[in-house]
Amino acid sequence: MQNQSLAGLLIGAVVCSLSIPLAVANDVDKWESAIAAFENDDQNNPYPNDSIMFVGSSSIRLWETLAEDMAPYHVIQRGFGGATTDDVVYYAERILGNHSLRSVVLFVANDIRGKEEDLSPEQAVDHFKLFLDKVHAHSRDVPVLIIAVTPTEKRWSVWPQIRDLNNRIAALCDQTKDAVFIPTEDLFLNQDRRPRRELFRDDKLHLNEKGYALWTRRVRSYLEPLVRVE
């Protein structure tokens, strides 16, 4: 009986592990401290019920002037570096928490990086759809704004795939209630259709102060018609 019980537990453990996407299952511990920090922040900071949550990867985390740039909107900053849409979807309930939100803004840039584990544009857009579903299950009728993945020198070799993903996200938003795509390609490419180096940090991947200034104006131009400042 003991051996049978042990075998049953092992089988159950395998089944449970298969229910989690493999890429996420391998990285759960990697992001646990970041998600726990968000939950701790929620407990210690009573955010207003009209807040706008910015979710995503390192470009959201490194946006040091986000609160100032979005004022007088109240913002909740929930970026964790290196996150993929898999990660954001997996932790969505914990990230959204018990917040009553006016809007959610998403930026994730790590699904296509020129690595073996990259998602295809078709796979990646499905994960963006899952995130939209998670948000709308949490907060019905809340507009979700998805910022286009930025063209960068660091990942220029896979820009055709990233651009394909952006087009698919735009189409998804067109077909989804309370979903809006924010294009940025025109901001970050020069006349030669190459990334504008003056808008990026030395790593040729993350935005610098000038890049964030362009992001701010573009995001606000889409946000303000949807969410009235109170």
Side-chain angles (χ1 to χ4, degrees):
M1 288 292 293
Q2 290 180 345
N3 290 338
Q4 290 177 347
S5 298
L6 178 59
L9 288 172
L10 290 173
I11 292 171
V14 171
V15 171
C16 288
S17 67
L18 290 175
S19 67
I20 302 173
L22 181 59
V24 174
N26 289 336
D27 282 341
V28 167
D29 290 340
K30 179 179 180 180
W31 303 124
E32 181 59 33
S33 61
I35 304 304
F38 295 157
E39 293 172 326
N40 183 64
D41 182 53
D42 287 341
Q43 292 178 358
N44 293 309
N45 294 293
Y47 288 99
N49 287 334
D50 63 348
S51 296
I52 297 170
M53 181 176 286
F54 283 72
V55 183
S57 49
S58 54
S59 293
I60 298 297
R61 179 177 61 84
L62 295 170
W63 196 344
E64 297 177 354
T65 57
L66 176 61
E68 175 185 348
D69 291 342
M70 291 296 131
Y73 292 113
H74 300 111
V75 300
I76 304 172
Q77 193 165 3
R78 293 292 180 259
F80 48 117
T84 64
T85 48
D86 257 350
D87 301 316
V88 173
V89 169
Y90 183 79
Y91 289 111
E93 287 87 355
R94 292 175 64 184
I95 293 171
L96 295 168
N98 295 320
H99 294 290
S100 178
L101 301 169
R102 295 284 303 283
S103 181
V104 174
V105 180
L106 175 70
F107 176 81
V108 180
N110 296 310
D111 294 323
I112 301 174
R113 296 177 289 179
K115 296 188 176 183
E116 184 178 351
E117 64 270 22
D118 280 359
L119 298 178
S120 67
E122 296 90 341
Q123 292 170 321
V125 76
D126 285 343
H127 294 153
F128 279 90
K129 182 181 185 305
L130 286 173
F131 180 76
L132 290 174
D133 292 342
K134 292 271 188 179
V135 174
H136 290 145
H138 177 276
S139 302
R140 187 183 299 274
D141 299 327
V142 163
V144 181
L145 289 73
I146 302 179
I147 305 173
V149 183
T150 314
T152 67
E153 198 72 39
K154 179 77 171 181
R155 297 176 180 170
W156 189 244
S157 64
V158 289
W159 171 240
Q161 295 96 306
I162 293 173
R163 193 178 192 196
D164 184 5
L165 172 59
N166 282 335
N167 290 336
R168 291 174 185 273
I169 298 171
L172 170 66
C173 290
D174 285 342
Q175 299 162 10
T176 305
K177 182 177 181 293
D178 296 315
V180 177
F181 178 72
I182 303 179
T184 62
E185 179 179 331
D186 61 306
L187 299 177
F188 293 104
L189 294 182
N190 60 26
Q191 292 181 344
D192 296 327
R193 306 301 295 169
R194 298 282 299 193
R196 296 174 58 188
R197 294 182 178 180
E198 73 274 15
L199 302 177
F200 296 90
R201 302 184 184 194
D202 291 340
D203 63 8
K204 300 180 181 180
L205 179 64
H206 295 101
L207 301 179
N208 60 20
E209 184 177 348
K210 293 179 180 178
Y212 277 116
L214 289 180
W215 243 20
T216 297
R217 289 195 291 272
R218 179 58 58 88
V219 171
R220 291 190 70 108
S221 72
Y222 279 79
L223 182 63
E224 289 171 357
L226 297 172
V227 181
R228 184 165 56 95
V229 177
E230 296 181 350

